[in-house]
Amino acid sequence: MIELTFARIADVLGGHLILDPRDTAETTVSGTVDTDSRHIGRGDIFVAKPGAHTDGHDFVAAAAAAGAAVAIVERQVAAPISHIVVPDAVGALADLARFVVARVRAHGELRIAGITGSNGKTTTKNLLARILSDEGETVAPRASFNNEVGAPLTMLRVSDSTRFLVSEFGASAPGEIARLAGLVEPDLGVVLMVGMAHAGGFGGIESTFHEKSQLIRSVRPGGVAVLNADDPRVVAMAEIADERNQRVRWFGRSARADVRATEVETSAAGTRFLLTADGASMPVSLRVLGEHHVMNALAAITAALEFGVALEDCVARLETVELAERWRMQPLGSDRVRIINDAYNASPDSMAAALRTLAQITAPGERTVAVLGAMSELGEFAGEEHDRIALLAVRLRIQRIVVVGTEARRLYLAAIGEGSWDGEAVFCESAEDAYVYLLDELREGDRVLVKSSNSAGLRHLGDRLGESFA
């Protein structure tokens, strides 16, 4: 973070500064800001966020012992540390992030990209950050820091020497993207797709469209909207861009895309395609597993080109990326039994893409095994969407469908109803039951996909299987 005095931070937050005897109002701080005392080091700022199960105020003393310079709290504490009392710690995070980014932007060359979409945000964020990092200091979220806490924490890592900020914007409730993107007003906004992820929380696909479109409404006037030319709902966001005097750049596999992929070939080693952008064409070998990541790569390239990166450099840097993120199409195991751990998150679109990838990369004589858990946050659409995934798995001729957990049982029943009734579909009550079953069931030549929403916990099952068959 940039260097600020305690008094300045208190003023920005509208908070009450309570000084430790060792400090004054003009004492400065420039360390990392975090809500987890375990990540606090000397000179950092600890934010005591109340939670559903734990209260950050209980860890202020631990943060002080770890060397925190100051704490942001909602009530006065007895710990030996200067602290700033504010009405809302999470709101204070947002206020501080807004101030820090605006100040750096006013005095430097900071360029800001915002990314949203029902799927692919984290992969695209990582690919874009990889491209930009060779151009200058780049700040991007760790893991999926894209919510009301994670996004501001990422923004607060910006310093006077930062050239690029890549922000990922997720949403679990209406209005969240507008609030978060509004903190920084990106120079460029990327919308990947509008799908059924979180549809239960938004009330349907049209409400999801409205939420995702808020990123384009938050991009500064005169900025750039990077839009998926192959998704009709994303295409409709061009009208919003026009209203805000933004330039639109299209990516996709259709002829209308400014940055386009053709001749796509998928294998267990990754995906090859011919990239065409601004009249130039060149081959790309993407090592990140899954054909669906081609669109994420195109989005990252389009954004990077707008920030002045040469096309050849975009491709060279992307081709060094082997894994977009842990638990996202992560190859584990061995050539004997290959495990693909994609169980960090799941939506109907990402589940379908992962199943298609499994079918595409499995050679003749090898067996496809899909270990599937529940897709969360679908609300009233959960039943039909699990049915649809079961139908797809059967039509792709997945040879063994292992469904894990009570919340996913409908997927198992639907698979049986679609024809997987002769032992092809198996139901396990728990991840432990599935692990025991798979240790005995898997054999040489199996290609195994482990896929579920984070809440189902199958990512740890994938890790265990990867270790067992390494």
Side-chain angles (χ1 to χ4, degrees):
M1 194 186 77
I2 63 175
E3 187 174 70
L4 295 171
T5 66
F6 289 0
R8 190 70 173 111
I9 296 173
D11 181 60
V12 168
L13 303 184
H16 175 53
L17 175 60
I18 300 174
L19 288 168
D20 182 83
R22 297 167 294 179
D23 299 323
T24 73
E26 297 307 307
T27 299
T28 61
V29 60
S30 59
T32 299
V33 182
D34 212 306
T35 59
D36 190 333
S37 62
R38 295 169 297 182
H39 299 157
I40 290 293
R42 185 159 300 282
D44 289 346
I45 300 173
F46 177 63
V47 180
K49 180 180 73 71
H53 303 292
T54 58
D55 186 344
H57 294 81
D58 296 335
F59 300 94
V60 175
V70 65
I72 296 172
V73 298
E74 293 184 1
R75 61 179 183 268
Q76 188 170 349
V77 294
I81 184 174
S82 293
H83 48 285
I84 301 168
V85 183
V86 297
D88 177 5
V90 174
L93 261 181
D95 291 340
L96 188 58
R98 180 189 294 107
F99 174 81
V100 167
V101 172
R103 183 156 165 177
V104 173
R105 201 180 212 171
H107 298 99
E109 300 179 353
L110 180 64
R111 305 292 301 280
I112 302 173
I115 300 171
T116 195
S118 298
N119 299 113
K121 295 183 293 297
T122 299
T123 298
T124 303
K125 170 262 297 184
N126 286 340
L127 296 178
L128 179 56
R130 172 63 190 91
I131 296 172
L132 295 177
S133 62
D134 284 358
E135 300 291 315
E137 181 181 307
T138 300
V139 171
R142 296 187 291 267
S144 291
F145 271 34
N146 60 23
N147 63 9
E148 63 178 356
V149 173
L153 287 179
T154 298
M155 296 168 189
L156 286 165
R157 288 166 47 211
V158 165
S159 69
D160 289 319
S161 58
T162 303
R163 282 197 60 195
F164 303 102
L165 168 62
V166 180
S167 287
E168 176 185 343
F169 298 119
S172 56
E176 194 165 347
I177 289 177
R179 287 193 299 274
L180 296 176
L183 297 177
V184 294
E185 293 188 334
D187 299 287
L188 178 150
V190 179
V191 183
L192 298 166
M193 65 176 298
V194 176
M196 290 298 291
H198 309 298
F202 295 129
I205 195 75
E206 293 307 321
S207 296
T208 302
F209 162 81
H210 175 77
E211 181 66 20
K212 301 303 180 186
S213 70
Q214 295 307 303
L215 174 58
I216 303 306
R217 295 189 186 279
S218 298
V219 170
R220 65 172 178 81
V224 182
V226 175
L227 303 178
N228 181 349
D230 302 344
D231 186 322
R233 291 185 174 87
V234 178
V235 169
M237 296 181 194
E239 295 182 9
I240 301 171
D242 289 341
E243 292 171 3
R244 294 185 55 78
N245 193 33
Q246 297 163 1
R247 192 157 47 85
V248 176
R249 291 279 281 170
W250 301 102
F251 68 92
R253 296 174 65 171
S254 60
R256 73 176 297 173
D258 301 306
V259 178
R260 184 170 69 255
T262 56
E263 303 178 22
V264 178
E265 299 177 1
T266 301
S267 71
T271 305
R272 298 175 61 87
F273 61 93
L274 181 66
L275 170 67
T276 301
D278 299 327
S281 295
M282 59 191 308
V284 179
S285 295
L286 190 65
R287 298 162 77 181
V288 180
L289 190 62
E291 182 178 333
H292 50 295
H293 289 311
V294 170
M295 292 297 284
N296 300 329
L298 293 176
I301 292 169
T302 308
L305 291 173
E306 287 301 309
F307 282 162
V309 184
L311 183 63
E312 296 81 3
D313 291 335
C314 291
V315 172
R317 294 165 194 174
L318 280 185
E319 289 186 334
T320 68
V321 180
E322 297 183 19
L323 178 67
E325 188 80 39
R326 186 184 181 191
W327 298 318
R328 287 178 168 86
M329 299 302 289
Q330 181 180 7
L332 299 170
S334 63
D335 289 339
R336 183 172 63 90
V337 177
R338 175 62 65 198
I339 310 296
I340 304 169
N341 193 353
D342 193 32
Y344 185 82
N345 217 336
S347 69
D349 294 302
S350 68
M351 185 79 82
L355 285 169
R356 292 191 183 99
T357 297
L358 176 65
Q360 289 170 336
I361 69 172
T362 303
E366 298 174 343
R367 185 174 65 156
T368 50
V369 180
V371 183
L372 307 177
M375 300 178 288
S376 62
E377 299 185 51
L378 292 175
E380 64 182 288
F381 308 100
E384 62 189 74
E385 292 300 330
H386 282 87
D387 290 349
R388 188 169 69 86
I389 293 302
L391 174 61
L392 177 63
V394 173
R395 288 183 174 176
L396 289 172
R397 298 184 179 181
I398 304 300
Q399 291 156 282
R400 182 72 81 241
I401 303 170
V402 181
V403 180
V404 185
T406 303
E407 292 184 352
R409 186 176 179 84
R410 180 157 172 172
L411 197 161
Y412 163 70
L413 296 174
I416 292 175
E418 293 295 339
S420 294
W421 45 265
D422 194 22
E424 298 94 341
V426 176
F427 177 74
C428 297
E429 289 282 354
S430 68
E432 182 62 32
D433 291 342
Y435 177 72
V436 172
Y437 168 78
L438 289 164
L439 278 183
D440 183 62
E441 172 66 22
L442 296 181
R443 59 178 187 253
E444 186 168 347
D446 282 352
R447 299 297 175 254
V448 185
L449 170 70
V450 183
K451 180 70 174 171
S452 73
S453 286
N454 200 344
S455 59
L458 296 198
R459 62 194 186 282
H460 303 302
L461 171 61
D463 286 344
R464 291 181 71 188
L465 291 172
E467 293 173 0
S468 297
F469 292 97

